[in-house]
Amino acid sequence: MNNKIVIALGRNAFGTTFPEQQENVKLAAKAVADLVELKYQVCITHSNGPQVGMIQTAMTEFSRLDNSYTVAPMSVCSAMSQGYIGYDLQNAIRGELLDRGIYKPVATIITQVRVDPFDKAFHQPSKVIGRYMTKDEAELEEKKGNYVTYEEGKGYRRIIASPRPIDIYEIESIKTLVDAGQVTIAAGGGGIPVLSQRTNLKGASAIIEKDYTAALLADMIDASTLLFLTRSDCLYYKEDEKHIDIPGKLSLQEANDLLASDKFNFKTTKPKLEASIEYVSNGEGRRAIITSLERAKDGILGKVGTVIE
């Protein structure tokens, strides 16, 4: 039986500060350990929203204080966030497993994900990043070819592209670790976005939507389950200020009908629904589950959540 699972952790698994992250990953570690006890071969991917912004802001400020240093490219900031989050996460999971009498290696793979240089997202940036800037600072960013947006009463912030993932370069290493029964953390934050230039890979100024990378990762390792762990017990949308939950099982047709209704938030719930549909459509015997981090085990056992199969 195929018992490979990709767990996609949302930003609620980490928090926004160093102490918050170290505390929050303990809950994520418990959820992962529960699934290891159920004999799943676990691969984990995760959000990096607050962390990559924090790193980008810190590196930008550092370059302003000492002009002998340059601003760190977004691809480098993404790599830093993968290492920083992976460090806390793998230690928390290792400790939780050992507390349960389970010895399993836990490893983080710094993962590069190919994007298309002609993706329309590069001309329609949507991800807000970094600190608020003055008008003069924003104009300097625009002169560099970067995009900025203005928030009334707050100031200017940089916005960058969110292209679709095409390929995962470290996929063979990820497969090897997962097949060996090791808990593997990969493609954090959607992966480091790179462009293929013959034999070289060039970092792209972008942040890949993590939900689409989670689906691609699950497809490429041929996982039987893709588990999105969020703040809510199931998929939902808001209508007339009401919170409409969608628990239980959905067929692909029902899921596609919901997606076509355009009721879901394009930044949060819509990517999860769309990624789930793509993943389930690409193979036999697959299921995608959307539920809360606190109820991960119940979601796998069919007691809670939205299941698309």
Side-chain angles (χ1 to χ4, degrees):
M1 185 180 71
N2 182 349
N3 62 347
K4 293 179 186 176
I5 184 170
V6 168
I7 303 171
L9 298 172
R11 64 173 59 196
N12 60 312
F14 305 107
T16 57
T17 66
F18 295 131
E20 276 184 12
Q21 178 164 302
Q22 288 187 330
E23 192 61 32
N24 287 3
V25 293
K26 294 177 183 177
L27 182 58
K30 290 182 185 297
V32 171
D34 284 344
L35 300 187
V36 170
E37 287 189 326
L38 290 174
K39 307 303 180 185
Y40 280 95
Q41 292 174 281
V42 175
C43 184
I44 303 161
T45 188
H46 57 78
S47 168
N48 72 341
Q51 291 79 11
V52 76
M54 177 179 64
I55 292 167
Q56 193 267 348
T57 299
M59 298 305 292
T60 300
E61 290 303 301
F62 179 48
S63 69
R64 291 177 64 202
L65 292 171
D66 187 338
N67 58 20
S68 64
Y69 291 90
T70 57
V71 175
M74 280 307 305
S75 55
V76 173
C77 295
S78 178
M80 290 179 177
S81 73
Q82 283 190 19
Y84 156 48
I85 294 171
Y87 165 64
D88 277 347
L89 189 55
Q90 71 184 40
N91 280 342
I93 294 169
R94 179 181 181 275
E96 180 66 27
L97 290 173
L98 288 175
D99 286 344
R100 301 188 189 198
I102 301 169
Y103 176 74
K104 264 185 185 295
V106 185
T108 299
I109 295 183
I110 304 301
T111 312
Q112 300 176 98
V113 175
R114 182 162 68 94
V115 297
D116 183 353
F118 300 106
D119 192 308
K120 64 181 181 181
F122 284 108
H123 302 288
Q124 299 172 343
S126 59
K127 292 282 187 180
V128 180
I129 191 77
R131 66 175 179 85
Y132 288 99
M133 299 179 288
T134 65
K135 184 177 180 180
D136 288 344
E137 290 172 330
E139 288 176 351
L140 285 174
E141 286 295 324
E142 290 181 320
K143 286 180 180 179
K144 296 176 188 175
N146 296 325
Y147 292 86
V148 298
T149 185
Y150 179 70
E151 293 182 36
E152 190 66 39
K154 293 184 177 180
Y156 298 84
R157 293 183 77 187
R158 186 177 167 191
I159 51 174
I160 62 175
S162 182
R164 287 284 190 129
I166 297 173
D167 194 13
I168 299 172
Y169 282 101
E170 289 75 23
I171 194 64
E172 293 304 322
S173 299
I174 296 166
K175 284 180 181 178
T176 298
L177 291 177
V178 173
D179 289 343
Q182 299 190 26
V183 177
T184 310
I185 303 164
I192 303 165
V194 293
L195 305 170
S196 178
Q197 296 184 343
R198 297 190 178 183
T199 58
N200 297 319
L201 299 177
K202 178 179 174 58
S205 182
I207 296 178
I208 303 171
E209 173 54 61
K210 68 185 188 314
D211 295 333
Y212 299 131
T213 300
L216 178 62
L217 176 61
D219 181 51
M220 293 184 77
I221 69 170
D222 192 28
S224 62
T225 304
L226 171 58
L227 177 62
F228 287 108
L229 297 180
T230 70
R231 295 183 184 275
S232 301
D233 284 351
C234 61
L235 185 68
Y236 71 92
Y237 62 89
K238 290 184 178 180
E239 191 170 71
D240 298 327
E241 301 303 317
K242 293 181 180 179
H243 197 279
I244 311 297
D245 289 333
I246 309 172
K249 292 184 179 180
L250 297 175
S251 67
L252 276 173
Q253 184 59 57
E254 290 170 329
N256 273 304
D257 289 344
L258 277 171
L259 184 64
S261 71
D262 206 27
K263 295 178 178 178
F264 298 90
N265 186 299
F266 77 97
K267 288 185 178 180
T268 56
T269 48
K270 184 177 179 180
K272 290 176 177 58
L273 178 57
E274 192 169 20
S276 296
I277 291 170
E278 288 180 5
Y279 160 72
V280 174
S281 299
N282 284 339
E284 295 293 327
R286 293 178 172 183
R287 62 175 177 166
I289 303 170
I290 302 169
T291 192
S292 64
L293 176 61
E294 293 81 0
R295 303 195 66 185
K297 185 175 180 179
D298 286 342
I300 285 293
L301 297 176
K303 297 179 180 179
V304 71
T306 304
V307 181
I308 300 166
E309 57 184 9

